[in-house]
Amino acid sequence: PYEYYNAQGVRRIFKSRYDSISTYIYQSPAPTNGVNNGLANRILNMYNDIPLSINEEQYQLLRREGIDPALAQHIAHLFIRDPLVVFDGAVEEVDDETQTEHFESIQSTNWQTVRWKPPPPRNDPNDPHIGWRTEFRSMEMQLTDFENAAFAVFIVLL
């Protein structure tokens, strides 16, 4: 009954919404002496090698607005699914210019091993600017105590 929400049944979703990360976002270093040999992007793209469903309409909109291809692909991938939870009073009442609630609602329905998190809104101009963050979400427990400790140390070192 809701074919619109399933891309009229023509989009295949290759992975569960609770799975490993599907795309990597990376900004290559600035060209050296004005020369960019494209090597950084070529190395990065070898990691973005799995089939990926995207919301093509959202991807094209983001590209037209000047968003780079890797970031546009990542965001368009989030929009292949409907949000699982919508709270009464938190749809039209939320100001997208000052709050990230709608973006977080879409992003939180894709529970992947790594999540790109926007800065939280500042309630006061003097509040510190936290900036964009990367959240690592591996399985909750590794096989051994040593592996748990090793993973925790590795993430801190990153």
Side-chain angles (χ1 to χ4, degrees), residues 82-101:
D82 296 330
L84 294 176
V85 178
V86 178
F87 295 103
D88 189 30
V91 179
E92 294 175 357
E93 299 81 358
V94 173
D95 180 6
D96 289 327
E97 296 294 322
T98 60
Q99 297 175 325
T100 60
E101 191 169 334

Side-chain angles (χ1 to χ4, degrees), residues 104 115-120 130-135:
E104 288 292 342
R115 184 189 287 184
W116 185 55
K117 296 191 61 108
I130 293 176
W132 291 87
R133 298 155 292 163
T134 301
E135 180 178 80

Side-chain angles (χ1 to χ4, degrees), residues 55-71:
N55 182 317
E56 189 64 38
E57 183 180 332
Q58 294 301 317
Y59 178 81
Q60 293 303 327
L61 172 67
L62 291 164
R63 293 295 293 132
R64 278 194 307 273
E65 295 297 324
I67 304 299
D68 71 74
L71 184 54

Side-chain angles (χ1 to χ4, degrees), residues 123-141:
N123 297 321
D124 184 278
N126 294 323
D127 286 349
H129 178 67
I130 293 176
W132 291 87
R133 298 155 292 163
T134 301
E135 180 178 80
F136 291 89
R137 312 165 133 220
S138 71
M139 62 178 133
E140 293 181 12
M141 182 174 255

Side-chain angles (χ1 to χ4, degrees), residues 18-43:
Y18 306 100
D19 209 328
S20 59
I21 190 169
S22 297
T23 62
Y24 291 91
I25 305 170
Y26 178 79
Q27 184 174 359
S28 60
T32 306
N33 297 328
V35 177
N36 183 356
N37 63 7
L39 181 61
N41 282 335
R42 189 167 53 240
I43 291 171

